[in-house]
Amino acid sequence: MKKFFTTLAVALMLMTVPAQAQLKFGLTGGLNMTQMSYSEDLVEDNASNKTGFFVGPTVTFTLPVIGLGFDASALYDQRSAESKNSAETTTIKSKSIQVPINVRYGIGLGSMASVFAFAGPQFGFNIGDKTQALDEYTEWTLKSSNMSVNMGLSAMVLGHLQAKINYNIALGKTGEFEASSAAKAAGSAVGLGDAKANSWQVSLTYLF
């Protein structure tokens, strides 16, 4: 009899959780502010912050009773940063598909709003030009793929509109500075080194 009631309790719990879970689809759009950091003293100053954007579909899964949830997106992401050396200033650009997958924990503020913290990995896949000439001697080469981590806060209002702010931290190098073909032909190794691109991001998501 004890085993029967235990089995019944587990079954009821499994039936209740899906009923309370909320699966929603939506559209996300936002801005990122990118800052480059260098492994070598390749430029006079770190690259200046430049504003880019991202947009794409989002899915969220939430268990309201315990406040735990997940979200994932597939975002077209465009970023840029200004690189300064003794000769000129060049804008470094990247176009990629970014796939953030976050675990989040929220606290309800009544029926109209809630706030939550989130964190998780983000996987990026370059879809733009892989190599860009910075000057006569140096080229910037993006990695074909990269991985980063998101950490941030968000607020949900009216059950549909979600605002986020987060910091995106690159886990490895974003790209490499290499000598151009002309520099290599001349036996020069000017501009060797690599860099990471971290970004502050703000976004809005509308969930249907």
Side-chain angles (χ1 to χ4, degrees):
M1 183 66 69
K2 182 178 180 181
K3 182 181 292 188
F4 171 78
F5 282 112
T6 301
T7 304
L8 181 60
V10 172
L12 289 174
M13 182 180 66
L14 293 176
M15 292 174 61
T16 303
V17 168
Q20 294 171 334
Q22 296 178 358
L23 181 66
K24 294 184 177 181
F25 297 89
L27 183 65
T28 294
L31 301 175
N32 49 47
M33 184 73 74
T34 302
Q35 185 174 28
M36 302 282 284
S37 59
Y38 300 94
S39 63
E40 305 288 344
D41 187 18
L42 301 176
V43 293
E44 294 177 352
D45 300 296
N46 276 353
S48 301
N49 290 337
K50 294 282 285 186
T51 302
F53 70 92
F54 52 92
V55 63
T58 294
V59 59
T60 66
F61 179 80
T62 307
L63 296 171
V65 174
I66 60 176
L68 185 66
F70 303 88
D71 65 62
S73 302
L75 306 172
Y76 171 77
D77 184 291
Q78 185 169 307
R79 306 185 188 192
S80 61
E82 285 187 348
S83 177
K84 300 178 182 179
N85 59 28
S86 57
E88 58 186 299
T89 298
T90 306
T91 300
I92 299 172
K93 297 181 179 180
S94 69
K95 298 177 182 179
S96 64
I97 298 298
Q98 298 289 331
V99 183
I101 303 173
N102 297 311
V103 178
R104 59 188 196 177
Y105 181 77
I107 300 174
L109 301 177
S111 60
M112 301 295 288
S114 60
V115 296
F116 55 88
F118 64 90
Q122 179 166 299
F123 305 92
F125 305 93
N126 180 38
I127 60 172
D129 294 334
K130 188 173 181 180
T131 302
Q132 181 180 352
L134 301 183
D135 55 37
E136 183 181 354
Y137 305 102
T138 312
E139 293 178 342
W140 166 249
T141 302
L142 281 165
K143 291 184 64 179
S144 298
S145 61
N146 57 74
M147 185 175 177
S148 56
V149 170
N150 289 316
M151 294 186 295
L153 298 171
S154 181
M156 176 85 76
V157 293
L158 302 176
H160 292 283
L161 188 61
Q162 177 178 282
K164 282 185 178 180
I165 180 168
N166 72 278
Y167 191 53
N168 177 246
I169 306 169
L171 294 183
K173 62 185 179 182
T174 303
E176 297 178 328
F177 292 93
E178 299 180 325
S180 65
S181 300
K184 290 177 181 177
S188 174
V190 174
L192 296 179
D194 54 64
K196 292 182 179 181
N198 300 327
S199 296
W200 280 102
Q201 300 179 320
V202 293
S203 66
L204 288 176
T205 300
Y206 185 82
L207 299 170
F208 302 101

